[in-house]
Amino acid sequence: AACENGQTVELQRKKPKGGQFGIFRQLQTNTAGDYSTKVKVKKTFTYRAFVPETSLCDDVTSKNQKVKKKKKKK
């Protein structure tokens, strides 16, 4: 439960051929641990969502989850 409500989620991206991930948006999780946002993508990047470790929420108490993006149909 400590890893769900009110956690900061950093949305990060980097160029596909290298470089470092950089934060482009920060979000907060809701009471169920979910978050949602819309991003207009103009260039190809590699994206990831990162939740920084806190004293109440660390590797032992948190779970990994794969995040997928939805492509808008034309």
Side-chain angles (χ1 to χ4, degrees):
C3 292
E4 294 178 358
N5 187 22
Q7 294 296 318
T8 299
V9 178
E10 296 175 353
L11 298 184
Q12 302 177 349
R13 66 182 173 200
K14 73 173 186 168
K15 293 182 180 179
K17 294 193 178 194
Q20 296 182 3
F21 279 97
I23 301 168
F24 71 95
R25 185 167 296 164
Q26 288 187 330
L27 306 168
Q28 294 291 117
T29 58
N30 63 17
T31 55
D34 298 327
Y35 66 91
S36 179
T37 188
K38 291 183 180 182
V39 178
K40 188 172 184 177
V41 178
K42 295 182 180 181
K43 294 183 179 181
T44 301
F45 286 98
T46 301
Y47 292 87
R48 72 177 179 186
F50 177 75
V51 180
E53 188 174 296
T54 66
S55 59
L56 296 175
C57 183
D58 57 19
D59 286 342
V60 176
T61 58
S62 64
K63 60 184 176 197
N64 291 330
Q65 185 170 355
K66 195 171 205 172
V67 177
K68 294 183 180 181
K69 71 164 190 71
K70 293 183 181 180
K71 189 172 185 177
K72 192 173 184 180
K73 293 181 181 181
K74 291 184 177 183

